[in-house]
């Protein structure tokens, strides 16, 4: 299939024909229909403040349909509408059983890992040359392979071109308010930065019952929408 490959840090992505291997144990292969661009993709593409890992297929905020499943996958099947999630849940570790943490021992966010957890190998290749994964999702590809614990099944009626942002920006902002800040009903909330994450944080504050929500941003053009 086609994929946008980053061969070097900061250099333009190149549309390439890539081979995407079948899913292995506890993995699913997803046909990506929509993917959006998060600043995290740009940050690691520029290779600022971390160890560069190239060539690589970036992307993590997306929506698609399960094409096939590997051994041991019981909660997903071909045809399911799904969102890939960069911080997954194994469902068994102490973190997954805690209401105060989403840092799964197995599937917590790892920006340095370029292969799959099962065997450390990449499922992407070009003429036999491995292409590194990103965040276990790599959604800048028409097909990708993801650990089943990093997949959220969603209502098939939900428009994938809209809800793809739930897999990162919206859930990040909403969770920051409801699960971390945890404002009490009637309290005031200030939000710095009114992009996608900030707007989701504002929605979380509204749901929590904040009496006053203060938006702060250097870009005044964002105020009307906020």
């Amino acid at each position: 299939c086609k994929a946008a490959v980053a061969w070097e840090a900061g250099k333009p992505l190149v549309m390439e024909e890539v081979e995407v291997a079948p899913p292995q144990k506890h993995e699913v292969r997803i046909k990506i229909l929509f993917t959006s661009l998060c600043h995290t993709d740009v940050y690691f593409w520029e290779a600022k403040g971390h160890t560069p890992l190239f060539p690589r297929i970036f992307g993590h905020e997306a929506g698609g349909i399960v094409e096939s499943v590997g051994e041991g996958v019981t909660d997903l099947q071909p045809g399911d509408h799904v969102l890939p999630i960069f911080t997954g849940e194994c469902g068994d570790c102490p973190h997954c059983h805690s209401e105060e943490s989403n840092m799964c021992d197995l599937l917590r966010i790892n920006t340095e890992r370029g292969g799959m957890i099962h065997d450390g190998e990449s499922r992407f290749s070009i003429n036999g040359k491995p292409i590194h994964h990103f965040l276990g999702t790599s959604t800048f590809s028409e097909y990708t392979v993801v650990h089943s614990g990093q997949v959220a099944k969603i209502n098939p009626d939900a428009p994938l071109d809209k809800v793809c942002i739930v897999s990162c920006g919206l859930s990040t902002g909403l969770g920051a308010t409801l699960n971390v800040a945890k404002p009490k009903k009637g309290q005031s909330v200030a939000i710095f930065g009114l992009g996608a994450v900030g707007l989701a944080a504002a929605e979380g504050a509204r749901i929590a019952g904040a009496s006053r929500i203060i938006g702060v941003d250097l870009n005044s053009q964002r105020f009307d929408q906020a």
Side-chain angles (χ1 to χ4, degrees):
C1 69
K2 292 181 180 179
V5 178
W7 290 100
E8 298 179 61
K11 296 295 179 64
L13 306 185
V14 180
M15 295 302 298
E16 303 277 14
E17 291 286 333
V18 303
E19 287 194 29
V20 185
Q24 302 301 306
K25 189 175 182 180
H26 299 310
E27 297 173 359
V28 300
R29 189 161 59 185
I30 303 171
K31 181 177 183 179
I32 298 295
L33 297 181
F34 297 94
T35 184
S36 54
L37 176 67
C38 175
H39 193 271
T40 301
D41 297 308
V42 177
Y43 180 82
F44 282 90
W45 165 67
E46 293 176 334
K48 292 182 177 179
H50 58 87
T51 304
L53 187 61
F54 295 93
R56 205 169 200 183
I57 297 175
F58 289 105
H60 63 279
E61 192 174 68
I65 299 175
V66 174
E67 178 266 343
S68 57
V69 302
E71 176 189 348
V73 178
T74 58
D75 56 340
L76 296 162
Q77 60 185 3
D80 284 345
H81 286 220
V82 295
L83 304 178
I85 305 296
F86 58 85
T87 295
E89 295 181 2
C90 70
D92 297 321
C93 71
H95 286 283
C96 285
H97 286 289
S98 169
E99 294 182 357
E100 299 300 323
S101 173
N102 69 336
M103 292 289 101
C104 173
D105 286 340
L106 179 66
L107 299 173
R108 71 177 60 194
I109 184 171
N110 185 334
T111 60
E112 304 297 324
R113 188 171 61 239
M116 298 299 291
I117 289 176
H118 175 59
D119 55 10
E121 301 293 326
S122 174
R123 303 292 177 256
F124 299 110
S125 63
I126 297 178
N127 297 324
K129 177 181 174 61
I131 307 296
H132 296 296
H133 292 247
F134 178 63
L135 296 180
T137 53
S138 293
T139 62
F140 291 174
S141 176
E142 291 180 311
Y143 287 85
T144 189
V145 175
V146 180
H147 190 284
S148 61
Q150 289 184 247
V151 178
K153 181 179 176 180
I154 65 170
N155 189 323
D157 292 333
L160 287 170
D161 61 330
K162 305 291 194 303
V163 300
C164 63
I165 198 172
V166 176
S167 69
C168 177
L170 195 150
S171 56
T172 299
L174 197 76
T177 305
L178 296 178
N179 298 330
V180 181
K182 298 180 180 178
K184 301 293 190 297
K185 187 174 182 178
Q187 287 184 326
S188 295
V189 174
I191 296 165
F192 294 81
L194 300 175
V197 175
L199 293 179
E203 176 65 3
R206 185 195 66 79
I207 293 172
S211 62
R212 190 181 187 202
I213 302 173
I214 304 164
V216 184
D217 200 300
L218 295 175
N219 183 355
S220 60
Q221 294 180 347
R222 291 178 168 181
F223 292 153
D224 288 343
Q225 185 176 17

